Amino acid sequence: MPAKEKNIKLQYLHFAVAVLIMIIVSKIPVPASILTAGDAVLDTKGRTALGVLFFCLYLWITEPVPFHITGLIGVLLMTFFKLDTFANIVKLGFGNDTVVFFIGVLILSSVISRSGLGKRISMAILAVTGNKTTNVILGFIIAGVIIGMWITDMAVAAILMPIAKSMLENEGLKPGESNFGRGLMISVAYGALISGITTPAACGSNIIAMSFMKSMLGLNVSFLEWMLYGVPAALLMIIPGWLIMIFMFKPEIKTLSKTREELRAEFKAMGPMNRNEIATTIIFLITISLWLSSTFLNDIIGIDISSTVPALICGCLFFMPGVMTYKWKEISNDISWDNIILIAAGMSLGLVLYSAGAAGWLANILLGGIVGLHPLIQIFMIVMIISVIKVGLSSNTVTATIIMPIMAVLVQSHDMSLKGILIPTALSLSLAFILVTSTPTNVIPYSTGYFKITDMAKAGIAMTIFTSVIIALSVFGIGSLTGIY
């Protein structure tokens, strides 16, 4: 049998298994004790919603079809099983302003990458760190965090990877044979991943988390408030991430063949900023200013501009006459429309799961054990549990879709601090240090061949433990000062 035909049969087998799992979860008789978890009871509607979730979860893990198509199939199944009307289910996700925010951020990411502004920032940082290999690794992590505060983590990895690859090739270091290559390429992923927690714009799962908090609980977390918790935690992760890289993958060369002066000369040789870079910088700064002052502006103009309006303003300004040389068609080719569909479909699935009561049952089953613990321990456990869950999932968006409704019900039903639990949960969604396949952000540097899956897993386990401790201490410390604990 040809390999292609065999592969198609396997894909349909995955569909059959997914349907079987859905039937078992939603229809097979089980004792009432299993359907009761704490004060949450899983009724017929809740079981059906849970069955659809497990159907999608299995397909997300095995990938017989793209992630976003699985999400759309889930929307159809919830419609056919009468969990809500099709119009309402679609409205929950595709009618959410989160979709517009994400489009604006993706436009910004594309323009920063195409204009060369991202590369200019990276080269400026490397000109400062010099040619010592351990410092170069630190420089890449710092560059990733700084650039990634305002664009998606995947875009950050796409900007930094070619620079790192060129540097390694110039040194004659071959893929799979160089410790410096391993450390440098994983640091490309680390910088991007760490940046993912800094601002709502830094990762798609952040946008979903904020939307779930607002839709389910009426909890508004401003752009600036997110940064208050995300930026300190991210800054504290830089040094542990760097130390793990240089100790686990000790560079076989101490310095690059290029001197510090040559690196600075290379940066200067880029010349003055061109028209596109200047326009990008100005619009970039306008967008950041609007994001940071959104709460203040709301009171002045009497309109809730949240984070979405500045993103949309940014997206429109780039295409005003005479501003840039790029055409919409060029930028639209860079926009991940499948991720936009996945986010919208995921929002629909998560909100139906919430309204059907399935999220409450799952909350008590998976995370009921953290109730009553000291907030510091709660935060640590949340980060660790989400990190373990992410090992089985290949998308931050999917993780957010499943976790946020569960956590929302947990805090409601046990009278826990809303922000005290949901903010550290949201910060944890984009952190995927263990598996290459957990996010496309990791796949980009992995595609160069300089490190193996086991290399990242080895370093990632240590980084995950450090990350859990750092987020727990940082968020609890700041939360204690701001009164959420």
Side-chain angles (χ1 to χ4, degrees), residues 182 186 248-249 450-460:
R182 292 184 182 94
I186 296 177
M248 286 196 172
F249 309 109
Y450 276 94
F451 66 90
K452 298 177 182 177
I453 290 177
T454 51
D455 293 327
M456 188 161 199
K458 181 174 65 172

Side-chain angles (χ1 to χ4, degrees), residues 306-320:
S306 62
S307 298
T308 304
V309 175
L312 188 58
I313 290 173
C314 162
C316 292
L317 286 176
F318 283 125
F319 302 101
M320 296 302 286

Side-chain angles (χ1 to χ4, degrees), residues 97-242:
D97 68 343
T98 296
V99 176
V100 179
F101 178 78
F102 194 55
I103 290 173
V105 170
L106 290 176
I107 291 173
L108 178 62
S109 297
S110 171
V111 173
I112 286 179
S113 179
R114 278 181 175 269
S115 68
L117 184 61
K119 182 179 179 181
R120 185 179 290 275
I121 295 170
S122 304
M123 294 303 294
I125 292 171
L126 291 175
V128 173
T129 59
N131 68 339
K132 192 175 179 182
T133 51
T134 53
N135 289 352
V136 169
I137 289 174
L138 177 61
F140 267 86
I141 296 175
I142 293 172
V145 174
I146 292 174
I147 299 170
M149 290 178 70
W150 316 107
I151 63 175
T152 63
D153 51 355
M154 191 162 63
V156 176
I159 289 170
L160 293 180
M161 184 274 282
I163 300 173
K165 187 170 183 282
S166 174
M167 188 175 289
L168 293 170
E169 288 173 347
N170 288 340
E171 299 300 318
L173 301 175
K174 296 180 180 179
E177 299 178 9
S178 167
N179 257 0
F180 177 52
R182 292 184 182 94
L184 185 61
M185 279 300 175
I186 296 177
S187 74
V188 168
Y190 274 22
L193 292 172
I194 292 170
S195 77
I197 74 171
T198 54
T199 72
C203 187
S205 59
N206 300 351
I207 306 165
I208 293 177
M210 290 178 71
S211 186
F212 272 127
M213 285 189 269
K214 186 175 181 179
S215 302
M216 295 177 177
L217 306 173
L219 181 64
N220 284 306
V221 177
S222 70
F223 202 96
L224 194 58
E225 187 175 13
W226 181 293
M227 290 182 67
L228 178 65
Y229 295 95
V231 172
L235 294 177
L236 290 171
M237 290 180 199
I238 292 174
I239 297 303
W242 174 55

Side-chain angles (χ1 to χ4, degrees), residues 84-103:
D84 204 336
T85 65
F86 179 71
N88 284 341
I89 293 172
V90 170
K91 186 178 179 181
L92 288 171
F94 290 84
N96 198 294
D97 68 343
T98 296
V99 176
V100 179
F101 178 78
F102 194 55
I103 290 173

Side-chain angles (χ1 to χ4, degrees), residues 34 47 52 78 106 174 182 191 193 209 213 224 264 272 303 308 311 324 339 358 395 400 464 484:
I34 293 178
R47 285 192 67 183
V52 174
M78 287 186 165
L106 290 176
K174 296 180 180 179
R182 292 184 182 94
L193 292 172
M213 285 189 269
L224 194 58
R264 287 177 177 172
I303 299 174
T308 304
M324 300 192 71
N339 273 343
S395 167
T464 298
I484 67 173

